[in-house]
Amino acid sequence: MVLTVRTISPDRHVLFNASQPSVSFLQTPAWGQVKSEWKNESLGWFDEQDRLVGAGLVLYRQLPKVKKYLAYLPEGPTIDWEAEDIGVWLRPLAEHVKAAGAFGIRVGAPVVVRRWGPDTIKAAIADERIPRLSEAIPDEVNHTHTHLRDSMRELGWRPPDEDEGFAAGQPRFVFQLPIAGRTPEELLAGMNQLWRRNIKKAAKLGVTVRQGDRDDLARFHPLYVETAERDHFTPRPLSYFETMWDALRAEDPDRIRLYLSEHEGDLVAATTWVRVGQHAWYSYGASSTAKREVRGSNAVQWQMIQDAVTAGCTVYDLRGITEGLEADDPHLGLIQFKVGTGGEAVEYLGEWDLPLNPLLYKAFDVYMKRRG
């Protein structure tokens, strides 16, 4: 099989994505509009009959003072990652972006490697001999990833170093709740006792959850900034969320939603929900330090899960988790919060780099480390 890669229109890219059961929202043309500091391009893979068989969003990040770029395809491209010869797909990509001035490529292979169910995760947290999730025996292993990993190494690709400075990377470990064919009652029964109690408590105390509109982003943002200060991360400006709202909803009116969890007129939690086809993501969350006892965060998550079922989704994705399972790990609470949903931890093959110009690629890495 011989494939060629060339630029396609955003409209054609949207149509291709719509034909797939699941495509990351980071691989939609709209995401290129959100990441305005990067150049962007929609690419198509064409077979010998000139049929569109794959697509991807490339973000081009320029090296300072030089017209050379890092070509980045977050959580993509959408190609046949289980092909016997992955080089058939990746070689024409490398040729195309090199001709566009790229000194290196980073892709995010959306291939599931391992899964850990809630009981396995809870047992691993309780076992002092297991400091990291990857050291716990998984419930499911996808053995095709071994061939893919070996093939990519032979082609010159490599996973980035754990401490690499390039900060745009996506998490390799995520937490997902499978919802296909399950009723809200079944999903609620699958949650742990604390989650069920908190959802019930929120309802009893009069917490309400509603969808907001663009104007409500101005209410969401101060709560998000408060959350950032509490959890020690750098918040994005309000303008970022407004751009995200406008770009994603222009592509699909139901691509992004804002949820507001309120108690007696006070906003106690707020979240953004993103959907592409059968996959829904919890993308950003905020909660107030005050009134934590009314459990607004549980209430808003429960509403989003139910709405994902109604929308015909098969997966509700709570996004990234870290690997640390030790009692003093600062991120352990996040895993424990998510595992309460009854979902599973999922490891993807994740991000891989191909330096096209090793010298420039090294210079870019140094630059990103200094920025970080």
Side-chain angles (χ1 to χ4, degrees):
M1 182 170 66
V2 177
L3 298 175
T4 56
V5 169
R6 62 177 184 266
T7 306
I8 58 174
S9 70
D11 287 346
R12 193 167 189 188
H13 191 178
V14 169
L15 284 173
F16 177 84
N17 285 349
S19 72
Q20 305 297 304
S22 177
V23 174
S24 171
F25 67 92
L26 305 179
Q27 280 296 295
T28 62
W31 195 250
Q33 305 305 311
V34 177
K35 292 296 175 183
S36 56
E37 72 275 23
W38 302 58
K39 284 175 54 182
N40 70 84
E41 179 184 25
S42 285
L43 292 183
W45 277 253
F46 293 84
D47 66 11
E48 294 99 324
Q49 285 76 46
D50 207 38
R51 292 175 301 198
L52 182 63
V53 293
L57 175 73
V58 187
L59 302 173
Y60 291 98
R61 182 68 173 262
Q62 188 173 347
L63 193 64
K65 302 177 183 176
V66 184
K67 276 226 162 181
K68 293 290 182 180
Y69 306 88
L70 176 81
Y72 182 38
L73 293 88
E75 297 183 359
T78 307
I79 57 175
D80 181 8
W81 286 97
E82 295 188 0
E84 183 63 29
D85 181 6
I86 194 63
V88 169
W89 296 85
L90 295 180
R91 286 190 198 97
L93 168 64
E95 291 166 8
H96 180 93
V97 298
K98 189 173 185 178
F103 57 81
I105 319 173
R106 176 167 289 186
V107 298
V111 176
V112 173
V113 174
R114 295 183 287 182
R115 299 178 191 269
W116 295 263
D119 292 340
T120 302
I121 298 168
K122 283 181 263 188
I125 291 171
D127 191 336
E128 294 180 357
R129 297 168 300 174
I130 304 177
R132 298 168 68 82
L133 181 62
S134 57
E135 294 178 32
I137 297 172
D139 294 295
E140 185 183 314
V141 179
N142 174 13
H143 294 288
T144 61
H145 80 272
T146 305
H147 171 69
L148 175 58
R149 183 178 274 131
D150 291 344
S151 298
M152 291 186 72
R153 287 192 181 279
E154 288 171 13
L155 291 166
W157 294 80
R158 60 176 180 83
D161 297 333
E162 290 289 325
D163 62 344
E164 194 146 344
F166 175 41
Q170 299 301 318
R172 199 169 92 240
F173 292 87
V174 301
F175 202 89
Q176 297 178 347
L177 178 64
I179 58 177
R182 301 171 72 186
T183 64
E185 292 75 22
E186 289 168 339
L187 289 165
L188 189 60
M191 294 181 177
N192 70 11
Q193 187 178 15
L194 182 61
W195 262 81
R196 293 197 303 271
R197 189 189 306 138
N198 286 344
I199 289 168
K200 189 176 180 180
K201 183 178 182 181
K204 187 177 179 181
L205 293 174
V207 173
T208 59
V209 179
R210 65 177 177 88
Q211 286 189 45
D213 56 23
R214 189 184 191 276
D215 290 343
D216 286 308
L217 290 170
R219 291 189 67 210
F220 157 81
H221 194 258
L223 200 63
Y224 164 73
V225 171
E226 179 187 332
T227 304
E229 290 171 354
R230 186 177 66 236
D231 295 346
H232 310 293
F233 65 86
T234 303
R236 295 186 181 277
L238 174 60
S239 59
Y240 178 86
F241 293 98
E242 292 172 337
T243 298
M244 187 173 167
W245 181 273
D246 293 341
L248 269 60
R249 287 181 79 96
E251 185 172 290
D252 182 329
D254 197 33
R255 179 72 80 231
I256 184 171
R257 301 180 188 179
L258 174 66
Y259 285 82
L260 305 170
S261 184
E262 295 164 318
H263 179 258
E264 296 177 347
D266 296 321
L267 185 63
V268 292
T271 51
T272 57
W273 183 94
V274 179
R275 181 174 70 88
V276 182
Q278 298 170 10
H279 202 126
W281 291 264
Y282 156 48
S283 58
Y284 284 94
S287 62
S288 65
T289 303
K291 289 194 169 184
R292 299 199 77 157
E293 72 282 358
V294 303
R295 303 303 176 188
S297 292
N298 295 94
V300 75
Q301 288 291 342
W302 177 227
Q303 188 62 56
M304 290 197 295
I305 290 167
Q306 293 177 88
D307 287 358
V309 172
T310 302
C313 294
T314 59
V315 176
Y316 178 72
D317 197 319
L318 290 97
R319 299 290 287 165
I321 55 173
T322 54
E323 273 205 82
L325 300 179
E326 294 178 303
D328 60 350
D329 189 288
H331 303 293
L332 180 61
L334 184 64
I335 297 175
Q336 291 172 319
F337 176 77
K338 293 180 179 182
V339 81
T341 63
E344 58 190 14
V346 177
E347 179 189 6
Y348 283 101
L349 189 62
E351 302 199 322
W352 286 67
D353 294 353
L354 180 68
L356 300 170
N357 181 322
L359 195 64
L360 285 179
Y361 195 89
K362 183 64 179 173
F364 182 81
D365 185 42
V366 169
Y367 162 70
M368 292 304 290
K369 280 178 178 171
R370 284 177 180 161
R371 286 182 81 245

